[in-house]
Amino acid sequence: MKSYQRLTAAQPAACRVEEEGAAPVPSGHGKLAPWWVGSGLLVAAVLLSTITVWVLRQVSGGWLGPTAPPKCLVVPESHRFDCYPERRVVVTQELCESRGCCFIQGPPLAEGKQGVPWCFYPPDFPSYTLESLNQTALGMVGLLVRREKAYYPQDIQKLRLDVEFETDTRLHIKITDAANPRYEVPLDVPRVMKRAENPIYSLNFSWDPFGVLLQRKATGTVLLNTTVAPLIFADQFLQISTSLPSKFLYGLGEHRGSLLHSLDWNTLTLWARDVSPTESFNLYGAHPFYLLMEEGGNAHGVFLLNSNAMEVALQPAPGLTWRTIGGVLDFYIFLGPDPNMVIQQYQQVIGFPAMPPIWALGFHLCRWGYGSSNGTWQTVRAMRNYQIPQDGQWNDIDYMDGYRDFTLDSQRFSSLPSLVEDLHKHGQRYVMILDPGISSTSPHGSYWPFDEGLRRGLFLNTTQGQPLIGQVWPGFTAFADFSNPDTHQWWLENLQHFHAHVPFDGLWIDMNEPSNFMDGSEDGCPPGELDNPPYTPAVLGDSLSAKTVCASAKQKVSVHYNLHNLYGLMEAKATASALIQIRGKRPFLISRSTFPSQGRYSGHWLGDNRSQWKDMHYSIPGLLSFSLFGIPLVGADICGFSGSTSEELGGTAAECPCLPQAQDPTVFSPAARTAMKDVLLTRYSLLPFLYTLFHRAHLQGDTVARPLFFEFPRDEATWELDRQFLWGQSLLVTPVLEPGVNSVIGYVPQGTWYDFYTGSSVNSSGEMLKMSAPLEHLNLHIREGSILPTQKPGTTTEATRGNPLRLIVALSSHATAWGDLFWDDGESLDTFEKGNYSYVVFNVTQDIFTSTVLHASTEATKVTIGTLSIFGVQKPPSKVLLNGQEKPFSYLDNQVLNVSDLGMSLSQGFSLQWL
């Protein structure tokens, strides 16, 4: 039996796939060479370890616990891959060795803490052997055989290995049962027609034990090495481990914590769960994707296309273990080489995000407990009275009759249709909440949504074929089965009926993990391998049915065991389709539960946070993580969902690319209210820039909000930063995240940065700088070489769009700059795809600004460019020429050149020169 060893470029594996894409060739005597060398090192290490243990025993009086075999002592602590990951079990030597594993007891751990596993795989633990490997048109197909059974039931003896060299930067590796079909995620992924010609990666295999070694050609960096621990593939337990080239790993959502994950024995569970965001808990969504920064600034990503309950164990080797309890091992690896490109390549597989309507990017208000439509209306009027920008007004479930979907409380919310009409007259929108739990207790014939859903068979069923009944806000409920296409039609009809009475503009879908106030159902869950699998990942509540439905529940496509993590995605898909059919415009939709590809249908909010400063801090890694997941329309309850906020905490409302809910600014003191208004006006002035970023996200998968290391990947000082972020390439946001301060310390990457408000420059060598931060001021800095399109702000996006544009030019040290603007009507479907848009590029070189219209539509004729502000003009100009005609200007001591009253139509190109 072969040992598990850390392979390097100097230790070729048993089979090499040549760069030119030739068929893999076993390497003859070379097949034995690495093992022979490895064995010699292993023997030497064992002898050294044995001597060391003997010496330590003499020094310590002879006691170090039970003696472990020499083959176990040779494994360093950081490289011990867990052989007994079950929680709530005290792992004994007897239990461990019954699995054929090594047992070395360590010090006791504090409650809830993880550490070095006591039970771990020995170097010679049995795994699969690569029996054959043949070339295909797109890559290779192989057969893996296990000759000794592993310790989980229904071990699968023969596996099929499929490798496809899909693009030069994307590799697809899939491992599944060689004999029987298994559940696979019903997600549309691209199918390539030809093999990559010049991949930037090289792929090697170890034959016995089977392992994958993936390297980056340019650097030789080993990105994956799965020989570090055995592959296990049982019916309900799939596990594969790999070494990692660094400790800088991000993604793997949804969790609350820092952007950069700790590799200090940290297990992340992916199982959608309704729980207030709390560290170490599995939260609302599941995203089995990680991005990793490599030494030198390259990046790669790995996506496991699997929707079953899962956990990812991180350890300081550095190493990672995927454990899932169903489906197949279907991996996509993205080679970047920079982090922006990794995310683009990931979205080429899962799909690019939808283009939101521009009003989605304005300020939206909601709260639980307005009490009535008149109470809601009162807030809207107060916002208008103080001229505070607002685009959307939302209601939580208190608008419903008895918390039942598609109903209206006729007593407290009777004036809701009039409120919505009033919002529309003022260029504002109305958004309402929906839950997937449909009340099952109304008298027959009195509640159409349940009666009709029951008649058509559209609910999740028990193993006995009856609707599974749980409990949510309206009491006992059935759960819509969105995996059934017929459910989409029923959902549409319900929404059409309600929209005829209350013409809502957008929806937020909540409780769609799906959430359940009881575990499983009113009758519990039946015994069996689905509700009580051989292995349960470290889910909150220690059961798959904790505060959700039974895993054994039947759905149209499969059992809930397989589809649970897809529930929110499937509901979002049905809801987005319904909104398009009802309104004929771009849908605005946010969902609490999410899964890869969700960005194609909805945005996301970060859930039921608290009115605490810590929650504001965690909202930043939250929104940055969802940028990695391809869901750029993401935000947080600004002042918190639960608890009471403070004026100071509520004063930073312009930070997120989407600002869903907030506590009402009008209830604060005049000073705080003014500060909030000013920050919101700043946000609205940036809408042209922000909207263009969303266009680039929709078109090619760019991130909108992004970590600093995305733009400065060679600067390792940025790799751990998650208290600041960038909008696009150009705008650095440094918020205050602590109470009682009037300054903030932030990192400013190397280069020249300009204060957004004044144009004053900051020259940084890449350092932490202290910035003034009074309540009314949000620190924003523009990166040199950028041009930001901004606009005079109004109190709605509709009002703002009619105002003149102001272009802010931030000159580089070479006196150059570039920027762009995407412009359309803000809400029609597929404007880019149909050509109904304008796209303008701005450029500065040799003291000449040019605006070039690359594509034009009638919308661009409705807006003018009024002002050009140029930051970093080294000396006062003697004159300024607009299309050759002299133009008045002003020049400030901080090297800012302003030219106003340009009056140039966005649809026409022009040039402006300063001499």
Side-chain angles (χ1 to χ4, degrees), residues 564-580:
H564 174 83
N565 281 338
L566 297 173
Y567 194 91
L569 170 63
M570 290 178 167
E571 185 191 12
K573 192 173 182 179
T575 308
S577 174
L579 280 169
I580 291 171

Side-chain angles (χ1 to χ4, degrees), residues 133-184:
L133 193 63
N134 298 299
Q135 188 174 5
T136 66
L138 298 178
M140 291 168 288
V141 61
L143 177 66
L144 309 181
V145 177
R146 174 178 277 281
R147 309 210 179 279
E148 296 184 46
K149 292 184 71 66
Y151 45 84
Y152 283 105
Q154 301 184 63
D155 208 17
I156 298 173
Q157 302 295 294
K158 294 184 178 182
L159 302 175
R160 177 186 170 107
L161 168 70
D162 285 286
V163 178
E164 293 185 353
F165 302 95
E166 294 196 340
T167 72
D168 289 345
T169 56
R170 185 173 84 225
L171 176 66
H172 187 189
I173 299 176
K174 182 176 175 181
I175 302 173
T176 188
D177 190 332
N180 300 296
R182 293 178 60 81
Y183 163 77
E184 297 187 29

Side-chain angles (χ1 to χ4, degrees), residues 619 623 634-636 638 652-660 683 690 725 727:
S619 72
L623 73 91
V634 59
I638 295 164
T652 55
E655 297 168 8
C656 301
C658 170
L659 296 174
R683 177 188 176 84
L690 183 60
F725 57 92
W727 270 9

